[in-house]
Amino acid sequence: MLKEKLLEDMKISMRDKNIVRKNVIQMVRAAILQVEKDKQVELKDDQIIEVIAKESKKRKDSLADYEKSGREELINQINEEIEILAEYLPKPLSKEELEKIIDEVIQSTGATTIKEMGPVMKAVKEKVGPAGDGKIINEIVKQKLN
């Protein structure tokens, strides 16, 4: 299970004195625990992957701000954190794979105009989960429905 892997990896990073890795894993474990307490459920691996994907997205979104301010040490740290989080996420789908899935969804929903983008986006996100980048999916759907 993913929770046990996170715990084991945290122990290893503590033993190896890898502070950044330890902090990232602790942060993920805290986020998982928070969701479990809020919803009063035990998260399964696919739900844990969603939590990790959210944490990764937060970092990717903040990266642009750090790049604007020219904070090189923070940019490097955020990139390292994103790489660590990526180890626990499924391999991202390529643009070609996403296009194929989007084509299938557009056919199945019968969408023809940009006004029908919402249901298409929702169906694609459900199908690909955290393996698909929302921005790329959005761009492809817009392109196909225009």
Side-chain angles (χ1 to χ4, degrees), residues 27-142:
M27 173 272 313
V28 167
R29 293 186 73 236
I32 292 166
L33 188 63
Q34 186 65 50
V35 170
E36 287 181 337
K37 281 187 175 181
D38 289 348
K39 295 184 178 180
Q40 296 188 346
V41 293
E42 176 96 12
L43 293 183
K44 294 177 178 57
D45 280 357
D46 58 332
Q47 295 166 310
I48 291 172
I49 287 172
E50 286 176 18
V51 171
I52 296 171
K54 270 186 190 164
E55 293 298 328
S56 180
K57 184 178 181 336
K58 283 182 196 173
R59 277 157 186 71
K60 287 176 184 172
D61 292 345
S62 69
L63 200 56
D65 294 334
Y66 289 129
E67 287 171 349
K68 284 179 191 168
S69 64
R71 303 277 312 265
E72 204 58 45
E73 73 284 352
L74 288 174
I75 293 170
N76 293 336
Q77 181 181 340
I78 294 289
N79 280 325
E80 187 177 349
E81 290 177 8
I82 291 170
E83 286 176 27
I84 292 167
L85 291 170
E87 294 173 21
Y88 300 99
L89 294 172
K91 183 182 156 290
L93 295 171
S94 70
K95 194 168 183 172
E96 293 76 29
E97 292 170 315
L98 283 173
E99 283 182 1
K100 185 178 174 200
I101 292 168
I102 290 169
D103 285 337
E104 291 170 8
V105 169
I106 288 174
Q107 277 186 333
S108 67
T109 59
T112 54
T113 66
I114 198 80
K115 290 179 182 175
E116 300 165 296
M117 186 172 169
V120 172
M121 287 289 297
K122 184 177 181 209
V124 171
K125 285 300 280 176
E126 285 174 2
K127 205 167 195 175
V128 299
D133 184 334
K135 288 180 185 173
I136 296 172
I137 293 171
N138 188 314
E139 289 170 15
I140 297 171
V141 171
K142 276 183 184 174

